[in-house]
Amino acid sequence: EQRGMRFGSHTHTHPILARSSSERVRDELLQCWALLRQELSSPSRTFCFPSGTLRDYSVRDQEIVSSVGLSAAVTAHGGRAGRLRTPSEMYAIPRLAYEPTTTGFQWQVGGVLGTVPGARA
């Protein structure tokens, strides 16, 4: 964090939320969020679903993420986030996988660069 890295919530023990009770999901989120707030000066309010594929979380889980005070959630099903039209879309934002090479990263975000004025690889 002192070097500019942001950390956000990902649950406490990494369960697949769709296979967990509502109580466990809430406890996992609250415990993780409490630890982040204790250890960091400015944790990200964005949540990342464990595994995050379409079968690993549900609308119920999105609602719980919202109810504990987190402002958004990202998934692991690939894609670029378009314009978010409804509040519920803030809790299922697609994301690109981590690309470790500069060339791979430039290729991966290439479609985005053409839509952002002044953006360069």
Side-chain angles (χ1 to χ4, degrees), residues 104-121:
F105 178 76
Q106 288 172 336
W107 175 84
Q108 193 176 49
V109 299
V112 174
L113 294 177
T115 64
V116 179
R120 296 189 313 260

Side-chain angles (χ1 to χ4, degrees), residues 11 24 38 40 57 60 69 72 77 83 101 108 118-119:
T11 69
R24 180 169 184 206
Q38 177 182 326
L40 302 169
Y57 69 94
R60 174 206 70 174
H77 45 90
R83 184 175 183 185
T101 67
Q108 193 176 49

Side-chain angles (χ1 to χ4, degrees), residues 52-72:
T53 66
L54 290 172
R55 68 179 179 269
D56 295 332
Y57 69 94
S58 67
V59 170
R60 174 206 70 174
D61 304 316
Q62 292 171 273
E63 291 170 352
I64 295 171
V65 171
S66 173
S67 76
V68 301
L70 297 168
S71 59

Side-chain angles (χ1 to χ4, degrees), residues 38-58:
Q38 177 182 326
E39 297 289 328
L40 302 169
S41 63
S42 183
S44 172
R45 297 186 74 84
T46 301
F47 177 74
C48 181
F49 285 104
S51 300
T53 66
L54 290 172
R55 68 179 179 269
D56 295 332
Y57 69 94
S58 67

Side-chain angles (χ1 to χ4, degrees), residues 87-107:
S88 65
E89 288 178 313
M90 288 297 295
Y91 295 93
I93 300 170
R95 65 181 170 91
L96 299 172
Y98 170 74
E99 179 54 57
T101 67
T102 301
T103 301
F105 178 76
Q106 288 172 336
W107 175 84

Side-chain angles (χ1 to χ4, degrees), residues 5-6 9 14 16 20-21 26 28 32 38 43 46 48 53 62 66 80 83-84 86 88 93 108-109 121:
M5 180 71 70
R6 296 286 312 269
S9 186
H14 207 266
I16 302 300
S20 302
S21 70
R26 183 174 303 284
E28 288 280 338
C32 181
Q38 177 182 326
T46 301
C48 181
T53 66
Q62 292 171 273
S66 173
R80 294 183 175 106
R83 184 175 183 185
L84 302 175
T86 66
S88 65
I93 300 170
Q108 193 176 49
V109 299

